[in-house]
Amino acid sequence: MNFCKTISLCWLILVFGFCDAHAKAVEIKVMTFNLRVPVDPVPNDWATRKPRVISIIKKESPDFLGVQEAVPQVVTDLANEFTQYQFIGRGRDADGRGEGTQIFYRKDRWRLNKLDQGTLQLSPTPDIPGSNAWGMQWPRIFTWALFHERNSGKSLYVFNTHFPLKPQERDLTVQLLANYISARKQQKTPVILTGDFNACEDEASIAYLLGQGASPIAMQDSYRILHPESKLTTFHAFGTDNDRCKIDYIFTLGEVDILQADIIQDPEGEGFASDHYAVTAKIQIGK
């Protein structure tokens, strides 16, 4: 083989290899988990529950973990345990402390876009840390970021939030959040939205996220796509109330295939990791 043919062959291998790498679909595991603020007595105190939380996260091994009610102590404990993850996000109070909606991500696989990420208040003044309005008992926030998969270069937005307690408050916060998702910088990039929405599936705020009314977005509930008849709850008050509805969700937007979705119930007889069950989804982008 002469020199020119060798160069041409090498060039074709490089080009088609590069294209093939970018054409492959990417599978992603996502988890949302309300960790419960550490205010309960034994056996539901954080020291007792922490090994259970760690065990569930290790078993599921998500690419992205959206947490709620994550006070600084809890975030530090998780960060120390899971050194393969980085996290972004702050607490909801003016000093950046208090309950947070941090996003943990696998740093070996995903690169954070530092120019497209942050935490904002769910209030008329979202840029002011600690701001609150609409009569809400506590400030509420959401955290978001744009991530790029290191191998393929494919991008994904991840949003994580914790909605307020009253329906009229959720109706206002969902509009603000939906507008931010709709106005994201990379319009064609898929979106994952995780969180504790404090809302049953038949409530207006959930319907709004699914595209009803004047919503600027139309998401899908990953769990309901695969389990249309399931009656499982996600909030159970440490096993004392198993008749509640599902209030923890993993929503998707854009070209996303749902491969798997589960509500992770605690092993019987081993105590509870939280007063919520974790929710997971395995998705695929870039098909």
Side-chain angles (χ1 to χ4, degrees):
M1 185 180 294
N2 64 37
F3 178 77
C4 291
K5 288 183 177 179
T6 301
I7 294 297
S8 298
L9 180 59
C10 292
W11 176 252
L12 287 172
I13 291 172
L14 287 170
V15 169
F16 282 101
F18 177 82
C19 291
D20 182 63
H22 280 255
K24 288 181 179 178
V26 173
E27 290 188 6
I28 305 160
K29 184 74 171 286
V30 184
M31 173 185 280
T32 185
F33 204 172
N34 183 318
L35 300 174
R36 174 62 178 169
V37 288
V39 295
D40 300 286
V42 175
N44 298 322
D45 61 304
W46 174 243
T48 303
R49 294 189 294 108
K50 181 171 69 171
R52 302 169 190 160
V53 169
I54 289 170
S55 176
I56 289 172
I57 296 172
K58 281 185 176 179
K59 182 178 179 181
E60 297 302 321
S61 189
D63 288 271
F64 298 101
L65 166 64
V67 294
Q68 301 87 41
E69 297 193 25
V71 298
Q73 174 195 349
V74 170
V75 174
T76 297
D77 287 346
L78 293 183
N80 289 339
E81 179 68 31
F82 296 105
T83 56
Q84 70 272 39
Y85 290 86
Q86 297 272 26
F87 73 88
I88 60 165
R90 58 165 174 81
R92 65 191 184 187
D93 297 338
D95 61 0
R97 297 179 65 80
E99 295 180 26
T101 55
Q102 287 81 359
I103 299 171
F104 286 78
Y105 63 96
R106 276 181 47 189
K107 61 185 179 182
D108 63 325
R109 188 180 184 195
W110 296 93
R111 178 175 59 83
L112 171 69
N113 188 322
K114 296 182 179 180
L115 300 179
D116 198 352
Q117 57 88 28
T119 297
L120 294 174
Q121 304 292 131
L122 287 167
S123 81
T125 53
D127 294 317
I128 301 177
S131 62
N132 192 12
W134 306 320
M136 295 193 298
Q137 185 175 6
W138 298 291
R140 298 289 180 170
I141 57 177
F142 70 93
T143 299
W144 92 95
L146 175 64
F147 295 94
H148 309 283
E149 209 235 355
R150 295 184 184 276
N151 289 334
S152 68
K154 294 186 186 302
S155 300
L156 177 73
Y157 277 101
V158 180
F159 286 73
N160 181 45
T161 192
H162 189 184
F163 270 18
L165 297 175
K166 297 178 181 179
Q168 60 269 29
E169 298 165 0
R170 294 193 286 272
D171 290 345
L172 293 167
T173 55
V174 75
Q175 292 177 35
L176 188 149
L177 178 60
N179 286 336
Y180 268 91
I181 294 173
S182 176
R184 64 194 184 279
K185 293 179 181 178
Q186 294 191 11
Q187 288 287 299
K188 295 184 178 179
T189 298
V191 177
I192 302 297
L193 169 61
T194 62
D196 170 6
F197 291 82
N198 275 314
C200 298
E201 294 173 81
D202 59 356
E203 190 177 300
S205 59
I206 300 302
Y208 194 83
L209 288 172
L210 297 176
Q212 296 184 26
S215 178
I217 58 175
M219 309 193 84
Q220 59 180 352
D221 174 0
S222 59
Y223 184 80
R224 194 53 68 196
I225 291 293
L226 297 186
H227 306 284
E229 304 300 327
S230 173
K231 303 299 183 183
L232 288 179
T233 183
T234 58
F235 174 74
H236 54 83
F238 293 114
T240 65
D241 189 354
N242 291 305
D243 295 324
R244 295 289 187 97
C245 59
K246 181 168 72 74
I247 64 173
D248 301 87
Y249 301 83
I250 298 175
F251 294 105
T252 69
L253 179 66
E255 295 184 8
V256 178
D257 292 321
I258 312 300
L259 306 180
Q260 184 179 336
D262 296 289
I263 294 172
I264 310 300
Q265 295 181 291
D266 297 280
E268 189 172 349
E270 296 186 14
F272 295 99
S274 176
D275 59 344
H276 289 241
Y277 293 132
V279 179
T280 64
K282 183 183 289 185
I283 67 167
Q284 180 176 270
I285 64 173
K287 184 175 179 181

